[in-house]
Amino acid sequence: MGLKKQMDAEMKTEVQQRLEILLVEDNEDHAYFIKRTLNDREYHVTRIADGKEAFDYMANPPYPFHVVLLDYYLPSMDGMEILKKIAEMGKDYAFIFLTVDDSVQTAVEAMKAGAMDFLPKTTQFFDGLPAMIEKVYALHQVRLEKKRLEEQVKKSLKEKELLLREIHHRVKNNLSIIHSLLHFQAQYADRQPVETILANTRNRIRSMALVHEKLYKTQDFTRIHLPEYCHDLITYLTETFHPNPHPGGSFVHFKTDVDDIHLDIDTIIPLGLIINELVTNALTHGFLDHHGEATSGKQPRPAEIRVSIHCEPDKPDCGLVVSDNGKGLPDDFNGDRSDTLGMFIIRSLVEQLNGSMNIGAANPHGTEVAIRFQTHRQS
Amino acid sequence: MKNPHFYFRVLVVEDEILIRKYIILLLESVGCTVVGETSYAEKAIRLAREKSPELILMDIRLKGEMDGIEAAREISSHSNAAILFMSAYDYQKQTEVRQIPNMLGYLKKPVEDYDLVTYLKRLSVMTAAVQKI
């Protein structure tokens, strides 16, 4: 035997060995002939003689099978009825319909009821049976694959619809938050110059817009990479409060130490707004004088703001610390009573995250704000 | 705000705290007393029992297992408080909302003061009518 021939034979055997045939045939002689025809193909044939028994077997198969050879005339339930009932159950099997009756009408009826092919039981037709089984098997596999892909497309479409609805809701919700913020801002309008009010408002909106910008770049539109978000947020803020730009960069040096995690939008929106307020406070109260000029030039030490976020592994508990080495808190400062809009926003959002806040002096200089909060983290 | 004053006792159920604080500000500016506030449906049900509010502002999406409609259904079974729903985008739930017995109306978010006042006026008229009977 040549090598190619041998390989072909081996491959053929592999395919044949895989096929499980369910033979539903009551006539002993016919069953014997069919089995003999299939003998050299090494299929595994399971035979059932009774119609009702065959239906029960197919309704709830104890073993998987690939192709069903189904006789027309059977005791207790005939082949045509089995085809119809199996179709009603929504099951999809590869049926070859066998009958001594070779009328076109029977063939058409069987095909309409779900058979994939039709074989009259005459000697010369049996010779064609193995080829027919392989053809039906192949066609059936294609049909199953097509169905599977259709299901996948439907599922994906449904997921996209849900996602679209969810994002739409988020956007409207965030616009509602901005709407509320503007209302609060109006209550505090007489305390600050209008330029400052508008700059602060712009920064708040941008901390939220940045979430959507980052979301858009992700695969699943649901989670944000925290270190990247913090980096961008702080970069924006530094540029906003850049009173005397040095050629070498900002007048304040930032040190960030943020865990490499992803957060969902429900956490990142309030957290982003909190970081925005805390860094703004550090930049303005820590290092600017009453005229908005940087005080760092008059200080013996380089101005520095530290932002750290650490989360406990496998727990929702996280800690945010924002500290500066600026001029520190005024002696009469009380975080719980402080009635600036920034502090009001921070207190509200700490509550939103089921958190707590502690404001104190940083060591050796400046201010430190530590916030514990809970997150719906996604690894 | 130059609006007429209403003296309702109100419970505010909303899980966005900034939005909740804003709504409380609106309510207080027209004379209402906020007797309770929460982000959770379960707590709303408890507060509705304990504080016996006359009006409940109820967001549809909430933290926790239950949503605002389920909470409202539960509250309606033991309280006469009028329920004013709020939502940014839940038109598909409008039918469900209308079936709540004590529903006063549906406020679209962002909530505007004149919308809120319209419903407060309606509630005043209804309350006065009930008292006459």
Side-chain angles (χ1 to χ4, degrees), chain A residues 173 179 183-184 351-352, chain B residues 15-17 20 63 112:
Chain A
N173 200 50
H179 175 268
H183 198 93
F184 294 129
E351 189 185 339
Q352 178 88 30
Chain B
D15 67 346
E16 274 309 332
I17 297 193
R20 190 166 88 205
K63 286 185 182 181
E112 297 293 355

Side-chain angles (χ1 to χ4, degrees), chain B:
Chain B
M1 212 185 293
K2 285 176 194 137
N3 278 309
H5 272 56
F6 304 93
Y7 301 98
F8 296 116
R9 296 161 49 78
V10 190
L11 169 63
V12 183
V13 189
E14 160 68 63
D15 67 346
E16 274 309 332
I17 297 193
L18 287 173
I19 298 177
R20 190 166 88 205
K21 300 284 181 204
Y22 158 68
I23 287 164
I24 291 171
L25 201 69
L26 284 188
L27 285 165
E28 287 176 347
S29 74
V30 293
C32 291
T33 308
V34 175
V35 295
E37 53 174 303
T38 178
S39 300
Y40 296 92
E42 293 79 1
K43 199 174 170 197
I45 295 170
R46 187 158 57 80
L47 286 172
R49 270 183 206 280
E50 290 171 4
K51 309 280 183 181
S52 49
E54 294 152 294
L55 172 65
I56 302 172
L57 263 67
M58 180 76 82
D59 189 23
I60 290 179
R61 280 204 190 193
L62 294 170
K63 286 185 182 181
E65 297 293 308
M66 289 171 86
D67 70 10
I69 299 175
E70 290 169 279
R73 203 173 287 136
E74 173 71 26
I75 291 169
S76 287
S77 70
H78 63 72
S79 157
N80 289 325
I83 298 170
L84 185 50
F85 287 97
M86 303 181 285
S87 184
Y89 188 74
D90 273 295
Y91 296 114
Q92 67 270 35
K93 292 195 168 167
Q94 290 260 19
T95 334
E96 253 186 279
V97 165
R98 279 200 209 96
Q99 287 162 355
I100 303 292
N102 296 350
M103 186 198 88
L104 177 66
Y106 195 97
L107 268 181
K108 261 197 293 182
K109 278 189 194 171
V111 175
E112 297 293 355
D113 48 7
Y114 43 84
D115 277 341
L116 181 63
V117 164
T118 306
Y119 280 112
L120 292 174
K121 277 181 187 160
R122 191 179 298 176
L123 183 61
S124 296
V125 172
M126 283 161 60
T127 314
V130 169
Q131 277 166 358
K132 269 184 196 165
I133 297 167

Side-chain angles (χ1 to χ4, degrees), chain A residues 94-376:
Chain A
F95 284 111
I96 296 175
F97 204 66
L98 310 173
T99 178
V100 287
D101 164 17
D102 65 348
S103 75
V104 174
Q105 203 188 340
T106 309
V108 170
E109 197 188 341
M111 301 292 271
K112 276 188 180 167
M116 292 183 73
D117 216 331
F118 176 84
L119 189 69
K121 287 196 271 192
T122 57
T123 321
Q124 68 264 37
F125 280 111
F126 278 147
D127 296 339
L129 185 57
M132 185 186 277
I133 287 176
E134 268 152 41
K135 186 197 76 184
V136 163
Y137 170 69
L139 279 175
H140 186 243
Q141 291 302 305
V142 170
R143 192 163 84 187
L144 289 181
E145 179 67 5
K146 183 168 162 268
K147 264 191 188 170
R148 198 184 60 78
L149 291 173
E150 279 171 3
E151 288 299 315
Q152 209 177 322
V153 168
K154 269 188 210 161
K155 188 169 162 258
S156 168
L157 189 66
K158 197 165 184 188
E159 279 170 5
K160 291 279 183 298
E161 278 172 12
L162 271 175
L163 190 64
L164 188 65
R165 200 175 296 158
E166 185 64 22
I167 290 180
H168 194 94
H169 185 271
R170 300 285 173 195
V171 170
K172 273 211 85 170
N173 200 50
N174 288 340
L175 289 172
S176 271
I177 292 176
I178 293 169
H179 175 268
S180 300
L181 283 173
L182 288 173
H183 198 93
F184 294 129
Q185 188 72 72
Q187 307 278 311
Y188 290 82
D190 51 349
R191 303 190 187 186
Q192 282 171 315
V194 68
E195 294 83 6
T196 309
I197 290 173
L198 290 176
N200 288 342
T201 305
R202 276 201 304 275
N203 288 342
R204 283 166 196 144
I205 293 171
R206 200 179 44 212
S207 85
M208 298 170 85
L210 191 57
V211 171
H212 287 278
E213 187 187 313
K214 296 277 170 212
L215 267 188
Y216 186 71
K217 290 176 189 159
T218 60
Q219 284 285 312
D220 59 0
F221 304 105
T222 58
R223 55 202 210 119
I224 301 276
H225 189 227
L226 187 59
E228 195 187 319
Y229 174 81
C230 288
H231 171 268
D232 288 14
L233 180 63
I234 289 167
T235 306
Y236 276 130
L237 283 171
T238 316
E239 282 162 9
T240 309
F241 295 99
H242 206 197
N244 292 312
H246 298 296
S250 168
F251 76 103
V252 174
H253 185 63
F254 272 93
K255 280 193 177 171
T256 55
D257 177 15
V258 178
D259 280 358
D260 187 17
I261 55 166
H262 288 81
L263 294 177
D264 68 314
I265 184 168
D266 280 337
T267 309
I268 198 94
I269 289 277
L271 185 64
L273 278 165
I274 290 173
I275 297 171
N276 179 71
E277 295 304 326
L278 290 177
V279 171
T280 302
N281 282 349
L283 280 165
T284 51
H285 302 308
F287 302 110
L288 298 184
D289 61 21
H290 293 302
H291 311 292
E293 294 292 319
T295 56
S296 61
K298 303 160 197 165
Q299 286 176 356
R301 52 188 184 272
E304 186 178 282
I305 294 177
R306 290 167 184 265
V307 177
S308 76
I309 304 175
H310 296 298
C311 295
E312 291 186 37
D314 307 320
K315 280 188 185 169
D317 307 290
C318 295
L320 159 72
V321 179
V322 177
S323 62
D324 65 66
N325 62 353
K327 59 192 179 198
L329 293 166
D331 293 336
D332 58 348
F333 181 83
N334 181 334
D336 294 332
R337 293 218 201 108
S338 173
D339 68 344
T340 64
L341 177 58
M343 283 308 295
F344 167 79
I345 291 171
I346 294 168
R347 279 196 303 266
S348 299
L349 294 171
V350 168
E351 189 185 339
Q352 178 88 30
L353 294 173
N354 296 323
S356 61
M357 174 167 63
N358 189 26
I359 304 174
N363 192 18
H365 310 280
T367 309
E368 179 181 287
V369 182
I371 288 171
R372 304 290 314 167
F373 65 96
Q374 300 214 318
T375 160
H376 315 279

